[in-house]
């Protein structure tokens, strides 16, 4: 809608034009009279001292009568020509003004602003902004952890609140994006409005973080020295270094007990954790050396890069611990899930136990039940064999087989569905966080939707989370590794978003303040 201020401008300009045209018309007429009257006076024979004499001359002289007629004949054409010229000019000005203020297509109005970008271009912009805002929220939350370890939860409360607010805006943007990907809305104009809304949400998330960035820097006060912050980072580094060996042993044990497919999602996690720690080692040493030489800005950059790498090493190890817990819980739940599923299927078969409004027509329900029986039988056979089996996969097959019949809305099957969803969401979140330098908007959108549905609709959440993981892995494969020949750990650090391709470590804040620490080149 055009504002009243903008709507009023053409009318005020038109009124000004009207006043100027009237002034011009009057001036033109006055000029014509001024030119003609002297001629009329001269044609009377010079000065006329007496009106009566003048009247007599006029009445008695044919020449005077002829001159009067000539003067009158001169006045009328001049007046007509002058008026026509003024009116023509007025019409031209009005037509020009209307052309400039036209709002119909092709009018080129400056009031309507530039033409909106094509829908595809706006879509690309939204994807970029979603990734940028998500990276800002993740980085801010991660750095906040180091600051809270030093100053306490109360001191960082305003900055933690800003991260929560930004995450809320971003979650709304991801929700809109998920609906958009699902084809809602369908109308092109409405889809453009939806994309514009996503842009606004992402920008608001960034602004919320930007507003607290200066205060965050004042609290950290790294310009006054990195000593205490460096000690905290080095302490975390030593703790993680001691956990790497244990994580490797855990993976070996899990693979032996549940089979290699059960731990495939964390294959390579130990190596990647070591890679991040190698990068952190280099950056911690450089931070210490820079601080000793009085190079404060360089010390800050190296410290932040080390903190990011330490955080991601922790994520890799935590993913292994999370998988171990999930597999143990699933293994304990499978027997109960089998028993519960068989009992519910028996209830579905009995006519007296069927609901008044069946989930499926009788023929389809019979097929679903028959398929579920086959799945449950296969799972029971796996349990009775001596070989390893994947309990998460077994649970997933049980839940998937019984869900179409409307089973599993409560009891043990519901608990199984929630366990599966939490495991899938956790795995996808860890992978995207540690590979965010290559992961695009679609995978992040699916993860955000899975997180939203986690507690209320665990089965769809599980599906979305696994889709998010697959899409993220595809993004990483397409991205490749252009930093293979760089210094140790750099390729993984860039892939994980610990540093940008030019070596800049991101900081707490939004897009405007996030790179405020300046650049230092990647070592080759």
């Amino acid at each position: 809608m055009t504002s009243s201020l903008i709507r009023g401008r053409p009318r005020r300009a038109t009124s000004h034009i009207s006043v100027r045209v009237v002034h011009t018309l009057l001036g033109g007429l006055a000029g014509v009279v001024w030119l003609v009257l002297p001629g009329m006076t001269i044609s009377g024979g010079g000065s006329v001292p007496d009106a009566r004499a003048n009247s007599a001359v006029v009445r008695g002289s044919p020449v005077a009568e002829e001159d009067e007629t000539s003067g009158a004949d001169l006045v009328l054409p001049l007046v007509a020509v002058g008026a026509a010229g003024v009116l023509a000019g007025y019409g031209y000005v009005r037509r020009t003004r209307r052309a400039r203020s036209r709002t119909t297509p092709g009018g080129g109005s400056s009031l309507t602003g530039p033409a909106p970008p094509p829908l595809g271009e706006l879509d690309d912009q939204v994807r970029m902004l979603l990734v940028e805002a998500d990276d800002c929220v993740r980085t801010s939350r991660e750095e906040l952890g180091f600051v809270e370890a030093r100053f306490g939860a109360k001191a960082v409360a305003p900055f933690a609140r800003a991260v929560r607010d930004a995450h809320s805006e971003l979650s709304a943007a991801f929700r809109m994006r998920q609906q958009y990907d699902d084809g809602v809305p369908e109308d092109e104009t409405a889809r453009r409005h939806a994309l514009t809304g996503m842009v606004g949400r992402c920008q608001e998330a960034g602004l919320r973080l930007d507003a607290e960035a200066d205060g965050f820097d004042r609290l950290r006060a790294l310009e006054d020295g990195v000593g205490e912050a460096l000690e905290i980072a080095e302490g975390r580094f030593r703790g993680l270094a001691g956990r790497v060996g244990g994580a490797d042993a855990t993976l070996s044990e899990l693979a032996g007990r549940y089979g290699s497919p059960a731990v495939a999602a964390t294959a390579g996690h130990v190596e990647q954790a070591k890679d991040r720690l190698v990068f952190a080692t280099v950056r911690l040493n450089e931070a210490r050396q820079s601080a000793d030489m009085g190079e404060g800005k360089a010390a800050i950059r190296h410290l932040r890069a080390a903190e990011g790498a330490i955080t991601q090493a922790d994520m890799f190890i935590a993913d292994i611990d999370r998988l171990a817990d999930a597999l143990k819980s699933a293994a304990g739940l499978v027997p109960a899930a089998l028993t519960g599923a068989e009992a519910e299927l028996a209830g579905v078969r009995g006519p007296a136990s069927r609901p008044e409004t069946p989930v499926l027509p009788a023929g389809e329900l019979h097929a679903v039940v028959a398929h579920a029986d086959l799945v449950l039988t296969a799972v029971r056979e796996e349990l009775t064999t001596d070989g390893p089996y994947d309990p998460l996969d077994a649970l997933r097959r049980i839940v998937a087989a019984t869900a179409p019949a409307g089973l599993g809305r409560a009891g043990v099957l519901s608990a199984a569905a929630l366990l599966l969803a939490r495991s899938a969401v956790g795995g996808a979140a860890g992978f995207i966080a540690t590979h965010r330098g290559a992961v695009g908007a679609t995978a992040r959108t699916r993860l955000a939707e899975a997180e939203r549905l986690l507690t209320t609709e665990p089965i769809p959440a599980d599906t979305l989370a696994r889709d998010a993981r697959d899409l993220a892995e595809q993004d990483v494969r397409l991205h490749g590794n252009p930093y293979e020949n760089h210094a140790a750990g750099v390729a993984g650090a860039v892939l994980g978003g610990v540093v940008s391709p030019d070596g800049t470590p991101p900081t707490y804040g939004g897009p405007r303040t996030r790179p405020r620490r300046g650049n230092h080149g990647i070592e080759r």
Side-chain angles (χ1 to χ4, degrees):
M1 182 180 294
T2 307
S3 68
S4 59
L5 179 61
I6 295 178
R7 290 198 303 270
R9 286 175 182 168
R11 290 196 286 269
R12 289 199 297 271
T14 303
S15 63
H16 293 165
I17 292 172
S18 301
V19 172
R20 290 195 294 269
V21 168
V22 170
H23 290 169
T24 303
L25 179 59
L26 293 176
L29 292 175
V32 170
V33 173
W34 181 79
L35 291 171
V36 172
L37 283 179
M40 295 177 62
T41 304
I42 295 171
S43 67
S47 172
V48 184
D50 194 312
R52 288 172 297 180
N54 184 50
S55 177
V57 170
V58 170
R59 286 195 304 272
S61 174
V63 176
E65 182 177 353
E66 181 180 353
D67 290 344
E68 181 181 3
T69 302
S70 300
D73 292 342
L74 179 62
V75 170
L76 292 176
L78 288 174
V79 171
V81 170
V86 171
L87 291 175
Y90 175 65
Y92 172 78
V93 171
R94 290 200 63 183
R95 286 194 302 274
T96 303
R97 186 66 180 179
R98 281 199 301 270
R100 290 177 179 175
S101 61
R102 186 178 301 155
T103 57
T104 54
S109 170
S110 60
L111 299 177
T112 59
L119 196 63
E121 182 179 327
L122 185 57
D123 185 30
D124 291 341
Q125 180 188 6
V126 167
R127 292 174 183 273
M128 179 191 70
L129 290 175
L130 285 170
V131 171
E132 181 180 57
D134 191 41
D135 284 348
C136 287
V137 171
R138 291 176 183 276
T139 298
S140 298
R141 185 186 294 120
E142 291 166 6
E143 186 175 1
L144 193 64
F146 286 91
V147 181
E148 182 175 350
R150 180 181 175 187
F151 296 100
K154 185 176 181 180
V156 302
F159 313 112
R161 189 181 307 113
V163 172
R164 290 193 299 271
D165 292 344
H167 182 264
S168 178
E169 293 288 344
L170 180 61
S171 297
F174 276 130
R175 175 59 180 148
M176 296 169 69
R177 181 71 213 193
Q178 180 65 45
Q179 292 176 328
Y180 186 91
D181 291 345
D182 291 339
V184 180
E186 297 180 358
D187 177 70
E188 181 175 342
T189 300
R191 289 178 73 79
R192 181 180 296 277
H193 289 164
L195 290 173
T196 303
M198 297 176 217
V199 171
R201 291 285 191 174
C202 291
Q203 291 175 340
E204 185 61 30
L207 290 173
R208 186 68 183 90
L209 294 172
D210 283 333
E212 299 295 338
D214 288 343
F216 186 83
D217 285 347
R218 286 193 296 271
L219 176 63
R220 288 209 82 176
L222 294 178
E223 290 80 1
D224 297 336
V226 298
E228 291 186 34
L230 193 56
E231 289 177 2
I232 292 173
E234 289 172 340
R236 288 196 176 184
F237 173 88
R238 288 190 293 270
L240 285 170
R243 291 170 56 195
V244 169
D248 197 8
T250 298
L251 273 181
S252 298
E253 180 186 354
L254 293 175
R257 180 182 301 176
Y258 303 113
S260 297
V263 297
T266 56
H269 273 36
V270 172
E271 289 71 20
Q272 292 190 69
K274 291 178 180 178
D275 183 73
R276 296 296 193 277
L277 291 178
V278 168
F279 180 85
T281 300
V282 175
R283 293 300 180 264
L284 288 172
N285 290 336
E286 290 177 338
R288 180 71 69 182
Q289 293 169 4
S290 297
D292 292 341
M293 292 186 294
E295 298 174 356
K297 292 183 178 180
I300 293 172
R301 289 195 298 269
H302 294 313
L303 170 65
R304 277 194 157 98
E307 289 175 343
I310 291 169
T311 298
Q312 291 200 0
D314 192 9
M315 290 180 182
F316 284 119
I317 296 174
D319 272 355
I320 295 173
D321 294 338
R322 176 196 50 75
L323 178 62
D325 291 340
L327 287 170
K328 181 179 179 180
S329 298
L333 197 57
V334 167
L338 276 172
T339 303
E342 289 168 346
E344 291 200 37
L345 286 175
V348 170
R349 291 188 188 93
S353 302
R354 291 177 184 174
E356 295 181 1
T357 305
V359 177
L360 297 172
E364 293 184 25
L365 183 60
H366 176 74
V368 167
V369 170
H371 173 71
D373 283 335
L374 293 175
V375 171
L376 297 182
T377 300
V379 172
R380 278 207 176 275
E381 289 179 356
E382 290 181 8
L383 291 179
T384 59
T385 61
D386 295 333
Y389 80 102
D390 182 353
L392 285 172
D393 177 68
L395 270 186
R396 185 167 283 113
R397 284 185 286 155
I398 294 171
V399 170
T402 55
L407 308 181
R409 297 176 181 176
V412 65
L413 291 180
S414 176
L418 184 58
L419 173 63
L420 292 170
R422 284 176 172 163
S423 176
V425 168
F431 186 88
I432 290 174
T434 53
H435 298 79
R436 59 178 177 259
V439 177
T442 304
R444 299 174 194 236
T445 300
R446 300 296 178 270
L447 173 61
E449 185 68 2
E451 291 173 337
R452 188 183 73 85
L453 298 176
L454 179 58
T455 57
T456 57
E457 301 179 54
I459 295 177
D462 177 54
T463 301
L464 285 164
R466 288 186 291 125
D467 288 345
R469 175 67 179 260
D470 291 342
L471 290 167
E473 290 179 349
Q474 179 180 342
D475 287 341
V476 172
R477 287 193 298 269
L478 292 174
H479 181 271
N481 186 3
Y483 306 99
E484 290 179 338
N485 297 325
H486 290 181
V490 170
V494 174
L495 182 63
V498 173
V499 293
S500 63
D502 66 3
T504 306
T507 65
Y508 180 104
R512 183 178 62 84
T513 58
R514 191 166 176 250
R516 60 190 176 276
R517 290 299 172 190
N519 300 338
H520 67 286
I522 292 178
E523 296 182 2
R524 300 182 181 276

